Structure formats: structure tokens, C-alpha cells
Amino acid sequence: MLTTLTSDQPITISAGQPCLLVNDQPGLHSVILEKDARAKIIDLMFAGSEQRTLDITLSGPGAEVSVFAIFFGRADQRLEITHRIHHLAAHTSSLILVRGADEHDDGGMCR
């Protein structure tokens, strides 16, 4: 299942429903993974100064999520990307991988 995230309401993913989520919009986005659910999330940020928060809850045992964030910026931009993963059950796992580039090697900050 391929789904684009929106800021309207949380997306809930159940077991047996392999899921690929794509996020390319600013704002707050929420995802809830139930027992034994698995998801891969691609978080893309290409232009403009924007703020984005991805809030993920692993609510059931065996839930797994992988987040791949990619951003491209310029010297005059401020990009704020926040990824929060809440492990509320035992035997859950998560991975966050972030890669980015800008047009100038001017010592941008990432924290």
C-alpha cells in the first residue's frame, strides 16, 4: 500500500498490511503502528523554508518502522525536520536515516 501523508488525521497501520508512506508536505503528520505492523516512510523536503514533524507511535508488540529522510536546501533556507518515535510496547524497532545536501558548502547545521 502506497499512501501520501496529510496533516488531517493520524494514519493507523495494522499487521499484514505492508505499507510505504510518502511525506512531502509541511506540518504535523502522525502514524500509529499496531501489533506486528511494518512501515517504511520516505520523508522528502526539496524547497522553501518549512517546518515538518513526523510523529510515529509503535503501539503494539512487534511493530517496526524505517524512516528515510532526504532534504535539499539552499543557503537562504531554514529547514526544520523533527522525527519522533514512541515505543509504547515491547519488541518494537525503528530506524531513522537522514541524508541531505545544499547548493553551497557553507557549514549548515544539523542536530
Side-chain angles (χ1 to χ4, degrees):
M1 172 173 83
L2 173 63
T3 304
T4 300
L5 294 175
T6 64
S7 296
D8 300 303
Q9 51 190 301
I11 291 177
T12 301
I13 301 168
S14 302
Q17 183 183 7
C19 195
L20 175 62
L21 303 170
V22 176
N23 182 32
D24 63 355
Q25 300 296 314
L28 172 64
H29 307 279
S30 298
V31 178
I32 300 166
L33 282 85
E34 297 177 335
K35 181 181 180 193
D36 295 323
R38 291 183 173 85
K40 291 185 184 333
I41 300 173
I42 300 172
D43 196 8
L44 304 169
M45 188 178 279
F46 291 110
S49 296
E50 58 181 71
Q51 184 174 359
R52 174 175 309 167
T53 300
L54 185 57
D55 196 52
I56 302 165
T57 302
L58 304 176
S59 66
E64 297 178 13
V65 68
S66 298
V67 178
F68 305 99
I70 303 166
F71 64 90
F72 299 95
R74 295 187 315 263
D76 61 338
Q77 294 178 315
R78 178 184 173 114
L79 305 175
E80 293 185 35
I81 306 169
T82 303
H83 296 117
R84 292 188 296 239
I85 300 179
H86 310 279
H87 293 259
L88 302 184
H91 310 292
T92 58
S93 63
S94 63
L95 167 74
I96 299 176
L97 180 62
V98 179
R99 295 289 183 256
D102 67 22
E103 63 185 17
H104 303 288
D105 188 17
D106 59 358
M109 183 176 74
C110 183
R111 58 179 177 169

